[in-house]
């Protein structure tokens, strides 16, 4: 791993600044994969029921502890030049601005190849195994001696302008626009030029907000943002999926009774277009072993209440409550309808019997967690010799639309309430001892659930962390 960085700044007589920065990161690793001996369905993909019947596509008996070698080298370059300044247009109007240009270059080259080919059958799709995805019923191919899975290059040039207009010390208007020009190569499938996707796109992002001080302690605001996220996935026709577009609105109030305490309540409405939802490609498509990103539109709205700061010099609080309407067309993460996060600490005052101690505690809670079943495959893609999936007859696994459903997590996810605690002791003015406890009562809970992988990510068990802080 290698990281280098450089930065320079020049300040003009009028207070404006011109700055530039450059960073370079290079990372490489040589990894050998190991799996225990046993049965495995090499053709199964994300969300698919494993089929452990000998003779079915992708079935194998692993007889080697060391199966694959993974060699990857990644390099990232980033540079930015920025000009920032401000103007007093008149005694009641002030303008701050930033103009910047950015360059980002990313390259990833790697190989994924078998150490012991005898551990596998003669026919299965290496691409399926690399991605652990795709259509498990697609025609298998001869196992190649090596596979290129990381030939990816991406170069982005960006130009942005941000401004903040302060009017009469009570009204603030902020805005910005950003243009990104991106081009690159996605050769994840193989070295075959016909299976390498070249992509090029121009995209704009916009943002704006307005804030008004109703009183010296209460501010009303509205914020809008419109942007996108680049996608490296290949669609069924072999082309690169378009960027995901997103749009958000937020309306709220902020309350600051003193410089040490801030509270806020906000209503938000988010929308994602061209959402990244994995579905299987048909076996006769140009990219049968890959995935496609559907044009699903996702929306979500809710309310958040937050508070952070100090009620007294010894008593600190931080936390919030949120409600998110279950309006997402496809929710594959188990987003809670209600969530609570709250933590408080108290430092005992000087002169008391516990003056060197501090204690704290809090809760993390989630209620109304659900997961939608969104993945399916056309039953026409299943060969006639396969009559069941993981012991489930096909006739029982076909939904009303005539599709075979792969995801089993369609019910509500368990709610949870977790308790955390803290105690610290100032051994000297420069040394503090601290003990943190997370999930104090050791409640089992799922932090996340993946519909497309039928996988669970359990939360942390009861955890204690002891630290010593030195203040020089």
């Amino acid at each position: 791993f290698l990281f280098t960085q450089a930065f320079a700044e020049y300040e003009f007589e009028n207070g404006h600044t011109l700055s530039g920065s450059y960073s370079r990161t290079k990372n490489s690793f040589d990894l050998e994969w190991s799996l225990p001996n046993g049965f495995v369905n090499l053709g199964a993909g994300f969300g698919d029921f494993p089929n452990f019947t000998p003779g079915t596509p992708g079935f194998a008996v692993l007889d080697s502890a060391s199966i694959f070698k993974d060699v990857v080298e990644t390099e990232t370059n980033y540079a930015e030049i920025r000009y920032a300044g401000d103007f007093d247009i008149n005694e009641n109007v002030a303008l701050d601005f930033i103009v910047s240009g950015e360059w980002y270059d990313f390259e990833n080259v790697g190989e994924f190849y078998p150490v012991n080919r005898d551990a596998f059958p003669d026919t299965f799709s290496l691409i399926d195994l690399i991605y652990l995805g795709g259509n498990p019923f697609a025609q298998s191919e001869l196992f190649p001696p090596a596979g290129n899975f990381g030939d990816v290059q991406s170069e982005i040039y960006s130009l942005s302008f941000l401004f903040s207009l302060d009017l009469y010390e009570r009204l603030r208007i902020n805005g910005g626009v950003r243009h990104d020009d991106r081009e690159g190569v996605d050769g994840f499938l193989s070295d075959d030029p016909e299976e390498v996707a070249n992509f090029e796109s121009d995209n704009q992002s916009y943002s704006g907000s307005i804030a008004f001080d109703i009183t010296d302690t209460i501010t009303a605001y509205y914020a809008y943002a419109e942007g996108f996220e680049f996608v490296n996935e290949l669609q069924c026709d072999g082309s690169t999926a378009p960027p995901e577009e997103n749009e958000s609105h937020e309306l709220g109030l902020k309350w600051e009774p003193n410089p040490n305490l801030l509270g806020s309540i906000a209503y938000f409405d988010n929308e994602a277009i061209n959402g990244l939802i994995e579905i299987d490609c048909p076996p006769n498509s140009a990219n049968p072993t890959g995935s496609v990103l559907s044009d699903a539109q996702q929306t979500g709205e809710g309310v958040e209440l937050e508070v952070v700061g100090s009620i007294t010099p010894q008593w600190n609080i931080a936390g919030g409550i949120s409600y998110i309407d279950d309006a997402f067309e496809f929710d594959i993460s188990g987003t809670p309808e209600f969530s609570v996060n709250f933590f408080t600490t108290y430092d005992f005052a000087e002169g008391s019997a516990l003056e060197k101690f501090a204690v704290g505690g809090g809760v993390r809670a989630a209620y109304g967690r659900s997961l939608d079943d969104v993945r399916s495959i056309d039953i026409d893609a299943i060969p006639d010799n396969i009559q069941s999936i993981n012991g489930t007859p096909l006739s029982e696994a076909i939904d009303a639309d005539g599709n075979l459903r792969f995801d089993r997590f369609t019910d509500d996810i368990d709610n949870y309430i977790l308790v955390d605690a803290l105690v610290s002791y100032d051994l000297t003015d420069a040394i503090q001892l601290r003990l943190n406890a997370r999930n104090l009562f050791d409640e089992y809970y799922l932090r996340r659930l993946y519909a497309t992988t039928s996988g669970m990510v359990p939360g942390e068990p009861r955890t204690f962390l002891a630290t010593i802080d030195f203040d020089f």
Side-chain angles (χ1 to χ4, degrees), residues 135 137-139 280-289 377-378 380-382:
N135 183 353
F137 306 111
Q139 181 63 42
D280 290 312
C281 295
N284 59 351
S285 65
N287 182 24
T289 56
I377 188 171
D378 191 335
D380 293 335
I382 304 175

Side-chain angles (χ1 to χ4, degrees), residues 58-264:
F59 177 84
V61 178
L62 297 184
D63 58 6
S64 174
S66 188
I67 60 172
F68 277 122
K69 199 165 186 180
D70 193 354
V71 181
V72 178
E73 183 171 298
T74 302
E75 182 175 327
T76 303
N77 292 275
Y78 174 80
E80 180 189 28
I81 184 168
R82 172 182 296 198
Y83 184 80
D86 59 81
F87 293 100
D88 290 328
I89 298 177
N90 57 49
E91 61 180 6
N92 295 315
V93 180
L95 174 68
D96 297 339
F97 69 92
I98 297 175
V99 180
S100 65
E102 300 174 56
W103 169 70
Y104 171 83
D105 181 70
F106 170 81
E107 182 174 357
N108 187 102
V109 178
E111 275 193 315
F112 192 80
Y113 57 90
V115 175
N116 183 0
R117 188 186 185 283
D118 295 334
F120 301 96
D122 291 333
T123 59
F124 76 94
S125 171
L126 174 66
I127 299 168
D128 276 353
L129 184 60
I130 290 174
Y131 285 106
L132 298 178
N135 183 353
F137 306 111
Q139 181 63 42
S140 299
E141 59 189 27
L142 289 177
F143 186 69
N148 170 29
F149 80 106
D151 186 8
V152 178
Q153 301 174 16
S154 182
E155 190 171 27
I156 304 175
Y157 293 91
S158 304
L159 181 64
S160 62
F161 173 72
L162 301 173
F163 74 91
S164 176
L165 192 63
D166 195 333
L167 304 171
Y168 299 92
E169 299 183 352
R170 281 198 174 273
L171 180 65
R172 291 172 299 282
I173 300 175
N174 301 313
V177 59
R178 177 187 176 98
H179 174 81
D180 289 87
D181 187 353
R182 182 199 192 212
E183 61 182 22
V185 174
D186 189 344
F188 264 100
L189 289 181
S190 73
D191 291 322
D192 187 345
E194 295 183 357
E195 294 183 339
V196 174
N198 296 281
F199 48 85
E200 181 175 357
S201 60
D202 297 325
N203 298 86
Q204 282 71 234
S205 306
Y206 307 94
S207 64
S209 66
I210 183 169
F212 178 73
D213 295 333
I214 300 174
T215 69
D216 292 339
T217 61
I218 299 177
T219 300
Y221 71 92
Y222 166 77
Y224 169 82
E226 177 183 329
F228 64 93
E229 292 184 17
F230 287 119
V231 178
N232 279 336
E233 298 289 342
L234 296 179
Q235 300 186 103
C236 292
D237 61 1
S239 63
T240 303
E244 176 185 353
E245 302 174 18
N246 50 75
E247 184 178 298
S248 65
H249 303 263
E250 184 172 328
L251 180 66
L253 292 173
K254 291 185 178 181
W255 173 60
E256 191 174 5
N258 60 65
N260 300 316
L261 184 63
L262 176 64
S264 65

Side-chain angles (χ1 to χ4, degrees), residues 312-344:
T312 69
Q314 288 80 36
W315 186 12
N316 301 309
I317 60 174
I321 302 173
S322 68
Y323 165 77
I324 298 178
D325 183 26
D326 189 16
F328 287 95
E329 183 177 355
F330 300 114
D331 183 8
I332 61 174
S333 62
T335 302
E337 187 175 7
F338 290 97
S339 63
V340 176
N341 288 277
F342 181 79
F343 198 85
T344 181

